[in-house]
Structure formats: structure tokens, C-alpha cells
Amino acid sequence: MIDRLTNETVELLQALIRNQCVNDGTPESGNEDRSARLLRDELEGTGVDLQTYEPTPGRTSLIARWPGTDPTAPSLCLMGHTDVVPVSPDGWTNDPFGGELIDGEIWGRGAVDMLNLTSSMAVVFRHLVASGRRFPGDIVYFAVADEEAGGTHGAEVLVRDEWDALDCEFVLTEFGGIPFYSPAGMSLLVTTAEKGISWRRLTVKGTPGHGSMPYGTDNALVKAAEVVRRLSAYRPSPQLDELWAARVKAMGLDDSLARKLLDPGALDDAIAQLPPEIAGNAHACSHTTFSPNVIGGGVKTNVIPDSVTIEVDVRTLPGEDLDEVDAHVRAALGDLYHAVETEIIKHDPSTSSPTDNKLWETLSASIAKAYPDALVVPSMVTGGTDARFFRNRGSIAYGAGLLSKRVDTGEFFRRFHGHDERIDIESLRLTVQLWLDVVDNLWE
Ligand SMILES: [Zn+2]
């Protein structure tokens, strides 16, 4: 059976990749309608209740619910997004939308983010429904549009407006089950929390004048350069919680370095000693970060500019809201804080789910079945996922999945939004088995 379901996952994954639901952030992109129709066709005829939602033209999401036998039992939602990020085709060895099977790997955009999970969830869901087997709780399959641009045309609006259809205690989505190797052995990271997003647009004002006489002028671009420099040099104090302690343990470092990573005073020096491929993630998991990423301003080569805007990608830690972000910006800019107008582009605080519940117990036991000697580690992702909308409604949501030993953490992150994205069939098989094991044991 597992071979048949794995083969079906391969075929569905190939079809989803070939649908090219590329989300460039504009409302006209994505066209997830194609994949929503494909998935509806896959599930139709099984007798399950299927609904599609199109909050924005072409941006269709699908919800299917397989009712349980006990209305008081917790329900489980398997959520996969159908959109993918754009590609730079020149960097690819094979066609990014070919969905080709080459040496045991399926190639294409979305192969690890997250059409691998979306397809395996659909295949397992169809298998459960088709078998006629009923579980105590409802099982919901949610194929959602627009994850890659923040969920405006997908999870954000559907969780808000269609909660009757989505209502669930437990959610599994991207991403987790990624092997991480250290001298102490193998760990598998499972996402239980994500950083907050708090983007800001800073407008720096100056006084216009003739570019031929710069002496003593109030040039907004020169001031903006200093604002950017200060933001980039800003070093907020670290915040070290139990997720950080679990991450440090998983790194399996020598005692002295591990101790420093747990000491707020020594942490920044210790991060500098980590290999570059994990230092950036370690820094982001322990600090609020500020990345000035867009600048705009100036009108003409010979005109001193009077206005420059800077967009800053701020990512917050648990417990930080608007006031805390403002305090950071104030501390970073110092005396320039009052020279800058600050506008909020987007603000979603960090979210997390506890691990003292049946879903965590079942999920970690199911992962341990595949990798008995590995440590299953709750972890925070630095980017945003649709899990946050469910956590804000009170659901417990984890990022899961299971990868083979061919894909370690470094390789996973190289492929994630990168060139030559691909997934091996063994990883698909492990993931299919994981979903089967979770539903088998969740209500035991
Ligand atoms: Zn994703």
C-alpha cells in the first residue's frame, strides 16, 4: 500500500509542479485555480464534502472535511499551500516546471516548499476517505492559495471568514522532519513556533536644493544612509527561551561553546564561531532582526532630495508587539529617530504552540518510528507560514513532514526558494507514512 500511495504522490506532485502556480506577490499571479481544480478532481467521487473558495479571482482554495464519529473528539487539519515562489531559470540544471523524475528525485519549483507535503496530504486524505474508515475526530484537507505572499488571498481571509469549514484543534503544515546532523547524532526539527513579521516604511525628510552646492545642506539621502547604517549595526539583546535551549542541545556542540550560546552575554561571540550555514539561522532564532531591504528617493542628478523611503524587514521574537518594535527602532536610530516618519507595512506577532498535547506526542512518536535514534526537537522558523492564522484562532499547529537522510538541514535550505529545488522519492514515502501513522494514533 505504501508503494502505491508513494507513486500516487509522485504523480500528483509532478502535476502540481507543472501547473506553475507562481506567486510574485501581485493579486493577478498565483492562478492557484489550476491546482484547486486538479485537487478537486482527485478527491471528487470519494463522497467527501468538497468546497472551493475564490476570495480573489483565480486564487482558489479547496477545503474537504471527512467527518468523525465523536463530535467531542479533536479534529485534525492537513494544510498545504499550492502556490510557489518565482524562479531564476538560468540557475537551474533542469526545467523548473518540468516535474521530471531524474535519478530518484522529482525536480521543480515547489518540490520542497511545499507541494511535496500538499500532494502527500491529498493522497493520504483520499486514501482514508476511500477506505470508508471513520476516525473519532474530523479530518480536514485544506489546499490553500497565496501562502508565499502572506495569505492575503488565502489563509488569512479564509480562517477569518470560513471558520465553520476550517474549524480544527490540530493543524499540520510546513515544515519539519528535516535531518540535522551534529557530533552528538541526528536530530529532526519540527516547527512549533514562528517569528513575527513587523515590516516598517521609514520616510526620511530633507530640504531640496541645487546639487551643485551640497555644502551644509539637509540631504534626505545622506541622512537615510546613516539610518540604514544604524539599523544594520543595531544589536538588540538576545532572548533565550526553551526553544533556543532545545536548538542548542540539537547542535551537539562541545560543552564550552554550548554554554556560551546559552549565556546572553557571550552569545554573540559564540554565534560568530558557528559554521556560516547555521550561524545566520542561530542568530535569527535568538534575536529580533532588522534588514533594510528597499530604498527609494531622489528625483534628478542635480537636485538635492527632500524625501527618501526605506523599507525594513523586522522579524520579532515571542512576546514582542508594536511597542517593543517601536522601542527597538528608537534605540537603533538614536537622535535620528525624530527625523524619521515610521509607517507600519505589516504586523503579525510571533506565534507558537505548546508541546504538552496528543498531537505532539503522536507526531514525535511517528517520526521516531522512522528514525528511532534521532532526537525530535521543537523549533522556531524565522519566516512566516499560514500556521499563524490557526494559532491565532487557538489551534495547535506544527510544521511537519519527514525527509530522507539524503536531505540534511543545509541542503533543505539551499533548495528552499533556491535553484535546483527537488525531492527524493524516499522522502515522499517517509512523509506519506508519517501522515498515516499520525491519523492512526492521534485518537488512540
Ligand atoms: Zn511554503
Side-chain angles (χ1 to χ4, degrees):
M1 178 191 65
I2 183 69
D3 288 342
R4 176 173 62 81
L5 298 183
T6 304
N7 289 339
E8 288 173 15
T9 300
V10 167
E11 282 172 24
L12 185 56
L13 170 61
Q14 290 175 312
L16 290 170
I17 289 170
R18 289 169 188 152
N19 273 348
Q20 302 194 32
C21 297
V22 177
N23 186 348
D24 65 14
T26 61
E28 305 75 41
S29 69
N31 302 111
E32 295 91 341
D33 191 36
R34 287 194 285 266
S35 288
R37 260 184 283 136
L38 170 71
L39 291 163
R40 195 188 56 206
D41 291 347
E42 289 285 316
L43 298 174
E44 215 145 46
T46 54
V48 73
D49 179 38
L50 286 171
Q51 299 290 338
T52 51
Y53 301 85
E54 195 177 0
T56 307
R59 313 303 300 269
T60 311
S61 296
L62 171 93
I63 303 172
R65 183 175 278 267
W66 180 234
T69 53
D70 174 2
T72 65
S75 45
L76 170 70
C77 175
L78 302 173
M79 170 170 64
H81 65 79
T82 51
D83 59 326
V84 297
V85 294
V87 296
S88 307
D90 292 349
W92 283 67
T93 311
N94 294 299
D95 180 358
F97 298 106
E100 292 166 279
L101 172 57
I102 301 165
D103 293 335
E105 294 177 312
I106 308 291
W107 283 66
R109 177 55 91 219
V112 299
D113 178 19
M114 65 174 287
L115 303 179
N116 55 327
L117 304 181
T118 308
S119 57
S120 60
M121 286 169 167
V123 165
V124 168
F125 182 81
R126 180 178 59 192
H127 166 74
L128 296 172
V129 172
S131 73
R133 193 172 148 199
R134 300 283 294 276
F135 297 83
D138 294 359
I139 302 178
V140 179
Y141 176 68
F142 182 26
V144 63
D146 198 35
E147 191 277 339
E148 295 291 0
T152 313
H153 310 289
E156 182 175 32
V157 57
L158 296 176
V159 166
R160 189 189 65 206
D161 297 345
E162 306 293 346
W163 187 246
D164 283 352
L166 284 172
D167 190 356
C168 57
E169 277 78 11
F170 296 140
V171 179
L172 292 175
T173 186
E174 64 184 342
F175 53 78
I178 304 151
F180 181 91
Y181 298 101
S182 79
M186 180 187 183
S187 305
L188 293 142
L189 305 180
V190 173
T191 303
T192 60
E194 62 188 59
K195 289 188 82 178
I197 298 167
S198 200
W199 296 343
R200 292 291 182 278
R201 184 178 293 112
L202 309 181
T203 303
V204 185
K205 294 289 186 192
T207 310
H210 201 287
S212 65
M213 291 180 292
Y215 182 80
T217 53
D218 178 28
N219 183 323
L221 184 52
V222 173
K223 250 193 287 187
E226 177 60 11
V227 168
V228 168
R229 194 199 63 75
R230 288 186 190 183
L231 283 168
S232 141
Y234 180 53
R235 295 285 174 267
S237 329
Q239 182 177 307
L240 309 181
D241 57 11
E242 66 276 14
L243 282 182
W244 176 248
R247 173 67 68 90
V248 171
K249 188 172 171 217
M251 285 192 235
L253 303 162
D254 69 69
D255 282 354
S256 136
L257 188 53
R259 245 194 326 274
K260 284 186 196 155
L261 286 168
L262 297 171
D263 171 359
L267 173 70
D268 288 355
D269 285 344
I271 285 176
Q273 293 174 41
L274 294 174
E277 64 273 16
I278 56 173
N281 185 260
H283 177 264
C285 286
S286 52
H287 295 78
T288 309
T289 57
F290 299 81
S291 190
N293 293 344
V294 178
I295 191 156
V299 278
K300 200 164 175 291
T301 311
N302 63 354
V303 177
I304 289 169
D306 62 347
S307 179
V308 169
T309 59
I310 303 160
E311 290 180 14
V312 192
D313 183 355
V314 184
R315 302 290 174 139
T316 58
L317 289 167
E320 293 186 311
D321 213 327
L322 290 170
D323 287 349
E324 286 76 14
V325 174
D326 191 55
H328 280 303
V329 174
R330 193 181 281 264
L333 299 189
D335 61 350
L336 278 176
Y337 177 77
H338 296 288
V340 169
E341 277 170 30
T342 306
E343 188 190 331
I344 299 167
I345 303 174
K346 191 175 182 61
H347 180 75
D348 280 326
S350 166
T351 61
S352 62
S353 290
T355 54
D356 55 347
N357 59 72
K358 187 69 182 174
L359 181 61
W360 178 262
E361 190 191 301
T362 310
L363 183 63
S364 48
S366 303
I367 291 173
K369 211 180 118 189
Y371 292 115
D373 299 326
L375 195 62
V376 181
V377 183
S379 105
M380 179 157 68
V381 286
T382 57
T385 77
D386 284 339
R388 70 182 184 279
F389 302 114
F390 284 85
R391 292 198 190 106
N392 288 336
R393 291 295 296 236
S395 306
I396 286 165
Y398 299 135
L402 200 51
L403 297 181
S404 76
K405 292 184 175 173
R406 277 174 80 167
V407 196
D408 67 6
T409 315
E411 182 57 26
F412 177 79
F413 282 110
R414 269 189 295 282
R415 294 181 190 180
F416 201 84
H417 295 197
H419 297 320
D420 287 351
E421 187 176 349
R422 60 200 191 278
I423 187 86
D424 59 294
I425 289 174
E426 175 63 8
S427 291
L428 296 174
R429 195 185 67 80
L430 287 165
T431 300
V432 166
Q433 188 63 55
L434 177 70
W435 307 141
L436 291 170
D437 289 341
V438 166
V439 295
D440 262 347
N441 296 300
L442 184 59
W443 293 283
E444 286 294 300

